[in-house]
Amino acid sequence: MTKHTATKDTTEPRQMTGAEMVIQAMADQGVKHLFGYPGGAVLPIYDALFAQKDVRHILVRHEQGAVHAAEGYARSTGKVGCVLVTSGPGATNAVTGLTDALCDSIPLVCITGQVPTHLIGNDAFQECDTVGITRPCTKHNYLVKRIEDLPRVLHEAFHIAASGRPGPVVVDIPKDIQFATGMYSQPKEFPHTGYHPKVKADPAPIRAAIELMAKAKKPIFYTGGGVINSGKHASKLLRELVQATGFPITSTLMGLGAYPAADPQWLGMLGMHGTLEANMAMHDCDVMICVGARFDDRITGRIDAFSPGSKKIHIDIDPSSINKNVHVDIPIVGDCAHALEDMLHLWKSEKKQADKKAVGDWWKQIDKWRARKSLSYRPSNEVIKPQYAIQRLFELTKDRDTYITTEVGQHQMWAAQFYHFNEPNRWMTSGGLGTMGYGLPASVGVQLAHPKSLVIDIAGEASVQMTMQELSTAVQYRLPIKIFILNNSYMGMVRQWQELLHGSRYSESYSEALPDFVKLAEAMHAVGIRCEKPGDLDHAIKEMIDIDRPVLFDCVVDKAENCFPMIPSGKAHNEMILGDSGVSLDDAITEEGKMLV
């Protein structure tokens, strides 16, 4: 992640109100956009906003939308996203977004208003314990009770949010502190005694990793969102190292784009809905190089059966992530970019080479898994298959400067499978928390950061309704986002699990009162498009792209389609159901390899 540290102060300390300090600190940190919603406890800050032009405020329709928009802004730029909300319900409405940012390591600074200091603890109007509530869902938080502390805290918040493993930081400011007057200056350093992230990895484990890689017979790179958080240079170094070794590479949902999907060494995404070749290679490998990923349960499946024969190398800037879920043999604590640079230098300078015969045989096995074409599906001329919709969306937008956000569900997994990313920071999705409603407000933030780019939210008809009000934000600020809804009239992933794991008892997963999305778009002064036939799809997508306004695209897809491959809950990562298998879940496990087909 681009480090957002304070620059050297070139001005003398000057007197300001606390509210003015908030805006000045943002300006000094290079903040251009602030996502927020006003309320009584932050009106002094909004008054300070009114008197300046450096920071542009974006008025959302709900505080959760503000945080998701800031997440999209941060993820697509590498900068810190900024949020401003009021006390009480303003702060509590932001909690979902803050938790989402913590799970996915997104750098945010969220300013919350608080009741005056003399009323704290008195159950005052719109008072809540913001610090207590947000402690579990932030990287760090502050309650500022002295005007003298405010300048340092504000700049320290940016430093903590962006350095080390990125994450959200909350600064809770009582209203009387916003009115108070003090001396403001930009600090030159941050004396936070408990926070010193290790950026440069130790040389010994780097050397041990290289030695192990050179002896590998069946190696694989397993990469995650940490590579993208480390910045574009990390993605460049990853590409060079993977190509220098000739090893296969796969990625988590959050890591898509760090390595080009068009490259033949790319195995596709791994995990619960990953490709057969990626999951089987992970299971059978003898050396696993994990870079910026955390061995999440959606990747490992059943822990006791995860890649049992492999030696594991783990690069992560967060020492608490190492050996947390899976024991590793060579832990490397440090920033991905620095570690990859050291590994690449050592590999080249010592003229290391992979075991060409063994790795060649490994690729032959991988090619057999690839030949199964695990992402295949049955096409139709009558109904739009969701996979086909994503494929056509990709083909018609791949040559443009395109950014993709998603909601959460089947559509998210199909987007990850069929929309191919060749560059980092182009894919914004909710991974760790799985937040329905993430994609639409996130696309608002992405579009503001990249006003000349094509920004598309790939959505489901259930998820998109959770934050649909943010379409009004896009209209107000003339942001031509495209919301591409795969409408199957169900909470699709819920329905799929109910079909496969709960005897087709579709308890409360069918949407019986869906809006007319075209009319809804028009009512919100956007453009609505509906498409129901495969033959009309290309023309409709082109029309959506050409419209220079927010567009709500209602793509009606097959209601019964399931997302495969799939690792059922509680199964190992080599126990997969492939599409069109014609067998039930109970009958799917075979004796050989316990392979679900």
Side-chain angles (χ1 to χ4, degrees):
M1 182 63 66
T2 302
K3 301 302 182 283
H4 204 128
T5 55
T7 57
K8 185 178 179 181
D9 183 24
T10 58
T11 61
E12 292 294 323
R14 54 201 189 277
Q15 198 170 58
M16 291 184 183
T17 66
E20 290 169 337
M21 289 179 186
V22 172
I23 305 306
Q24 187 60 52
M26 289 184 184
D28 288 345
Q29 288 286 341
V31 174
K32 301 299 182 185
H33 295 94
L34 170 64
F35 302 91
Y37 201 93
V42 283
L43 285 185
I45 299 175
Y46 274 88
D47 203 39
L49 268 170
F50 188 78
Q52 57 83 54
K53 295 183 179 179
D54 292 329
V55 179
R56 185 187 183 196
H57 181 269
I58 305 300
L59 178 64
V60 297
R61 276 32 179 188
H62 189 282
E63 290 87 354
Q64 180 182 343
V67 186
H68 292 328
E71 285 187 275
Y73 188 96
R75 185 75 174 174
S76 67
T77 62
K79 299 177 181 178
V80 175
C82 291
V83 179
L84 175 61
V85 299
T86 193
S87 64
T92 58
N93 282 346
V95 164
T96 297
L98 293 169
T99 310
D100 190 273
L102 183 70
C103 289
D104 290 342
S105 304
I106 308 300
L108 301 180
V109 169
C110 179
I111 307 296
T112 60
Q114 184 55 273
V115 300
T117 52
H118 69 276
L119 289 179
I120 292 176
N122 288 352
D123 295 330
F125 176 67
Q126 291 193 333
E127 180 194 0
C128 73
D129 180 7
T130 299
V131 168
I133 290 169
T134 63
R135 185 173 287 117
C137 63
T138 56
K139 185 176 178 182
H140 196 63
N141 62 14
Y142 301 86
L143 171 60
V144 183
K145 294 184 176 181
R146 299 171 64 246
I147 188 66
E148 294 82 3
D149 296 332
L150 187 56
R152 172 189 59 81
V153 167
L154 289 167
H155 288 285
E156 191 171 277
F158 278 87
H159 173 67
I160 291 174
S163 57
R165 179 180 178 177
V169 178
V170 162
V171 181
D172 196 30
I173 310 176
K175 194 169 184 178
D176 57 322
I177 303 300
Q178 298 171 40
F179 279 123
T181 300
M183 299 305 292
Y184 171 87
S185 63
Q186 186 173 349
K188 300 179 179 64
E189 59 183 20
F190 306 99
H192 196 286
T193 56
Y195 182 66
H196 300 285
K198 186 175 181 179
V199 175
K200 186 76 172 175
D202 294 333
I206 294 286
R207 176 169 291 280
I210 290 299
E211 296 295 336
L212 185 60
M213 288 163 60
K215 297 175 183 176
K217 309 295 183 185
K218 298 188 290 183
I220 190 169
F221 279 92
Y222 153 44
T223 60
V227 179
I228 292 174
N229 285 347
S230 187
K232 292 184 178 180
H233 187 53
S235 296
K236 179 177 179 292
L237 291 166
L238 174 67
R239 296 169 192 221
E240 291 181 23
L241 183 59
V242 171
Q243 289 163 8
T245 60
F247 295 173
I249 178 171
T250 182
S251 166
T252 67
L253 180 74
M254 297 304 295
L256 296 177
Y259 193 85
D263 190 90
Q265 286 172 249
W266 170 247
L267 303 187
M269 183 179 73
L270 80 161
M272 180 169 281
H273 293 286
T275 65
L276 173 68
E277 54 268 31
N279 283 326
M280 292 304 293
M282 284 281 284
H283 182 269
D284 287 4
C285 71
D286 68 341
V287 173
M288 179 187 299
I289 309 107
C290 174
V291 187
R294 56 189 178 88
F295 294 95
D296 176 74
D297 64 288
R298 286 298 194 260
I299 300 303
T300 63
R302 204 175 73 242
I303 288 287
D304 62 356
F306 175 70
S307 193
S310 68
K311 296 287 186 180
K312 299 174 183 67
I313 301 163
H314 188 187
I315 303 169
D316 204 297
I317 199 166
D318 181 4
S320 72
S321 291
I322 292 177
N323 290 323
K324 183 176 183 178
N325 297 325
V326 171
H327 173 75
V328 299
D329 301 276
I330 302 178
I332 302 174
V333 179
D335 180 75
C336 289
H338 288 277
L340 289 168
E341 186 173 38
D342 292 345
M343 292 172 75
L344 183 63
H345 173 75
L346 202 58
W347 185 272
K348 289 184 174 180
S349 64
E350 298 196 358
K351 298 181 179 179
K352 296 289 186 182
Q353 287 190 345
D355 184 333
K356 290 186 177 179
K357 183 182 184 306
V359 175
D361 291 341
W362 178 228
W363 272 111
K364 289 178 183 177
Q365 176 58 63
I366 290 171
D367 286 339
K368 290 180 181 178
W369 289 322
R370 273 179 167 167
R372 295 287 297 274
K373 297 183 178 179
S374 61
L375 296 183
S376 61
Y377 62 94
R378 293 174 181 171
S380 171
N381 293 323
E382 302 299 322
V383 63
I384 299 173
K385 293 287 185 174
Q387 302 95 321
Y388 177 74
I390 302 297
Q391 285 179 314
R392 296 315 304 155
L393 184 68
F394 170 69
E395 290 298 330
L396 294 169
T397 59
K398 65 180 180 181
D399 296 327
R400 294 173 176 265
D401 184 28
T402 306
Y403 292 80
I404 300 294
T405 71
T406 78
E407 311 296 336
V408 168
Q410 284 179 318
H411 60 276
Q412 176 191 30
M413 295 298 106
W414 281 315
Q417 292 173 340
F418 292 97
Y419 201 103
H420 307 299
F421 297 92
N422 292 310
E423 297 293 335
N425 304 103
R426 300 293 175 139
W427 166 249
M428 276 59 63
T429 195
S430 175
L433 193 62
T435 306
M436 294 174 70
Y438 168 89
L440 200 168
S443 69
V444 168
V446 175
Q447 190 76 79
L448 277 160
H450 308 278
K452 296 183 179 180
S453 302
L454 177 62
V455 179
I456 303 172
D457 171 30
I458 297 175
E461 84 291 332
S463 279
V464 79
Q465 291 186 82
M466 289 202 166
T467 53
M468 178 61 72
Q469 70 277 356
E470 300 308 330
L471 180 58
S472 181
T473 305
V475 170
Q476 177 175 341
Y477 294 98
R478 297 176 173 83
L479 304 174
I481 61 171
K482 319 300 180 189
I483 304 157
F484 190 77
I485 301 172
L486 298 183
N487 185 349
N488 60 11
S489 299
Y490 278 95
M491 300 173 203
M493 193 62 80
V494 174
R495 184 204 59 77
Q496 177 169 334
W497 280 50
Q498 288 173 335
E499 176 184 329
L500 298 177
L501 304 174
H502 297 277
S504 297
R505 293 181 294 277
Y506 302 124
S507 176
E508 302 300 327
S509 58
Y510 182 65
S511 301
E512 295 189 40
L514 284 176
D516 182 325
F517 286 110
V518 173
K519 289 182 178 178
L520 180 59
E522 292 170 350
M524 299 180 78
H525 307 290
V527 176
I529 297 174
R530 182 178 172 91
C531 185
E532 300 181 56
K533 298 295 182 183
D536 299 333
L537 188 58
D538 277 22
H539 175 77
I541 291 174
K542 290 175 183 176
E543 180 185 0
M544 175 190 76
I545 293 168
D546 290 341
I547 295 172
D548 190 28
R549 291 170 59 193
V551 178
L552 198 59
F553 189 112
D554 187 11
C555 185
V556 181
V557 299
D558 189 342
K559 290 179 171 58
E561 194 72 9
N562 286 330
C563 184
F564 292 119
M566 176 185 174
I567 302 171
S569 179
K571 299 296 182 180
H573 67 141
N574 66 325
E575 297 177 330
M576 303 176 68
I577 306 175
L578 302 186
D580 298 331
S581 63
V583 297
S584 69
L585 179 62
D586 292 336
D587 297 333
I589 299 179
T590 65
E591 290 299 324
E592 184 179 355
K594 288 193 173 182
M595 181 67 189
L596 293 179
V597 295

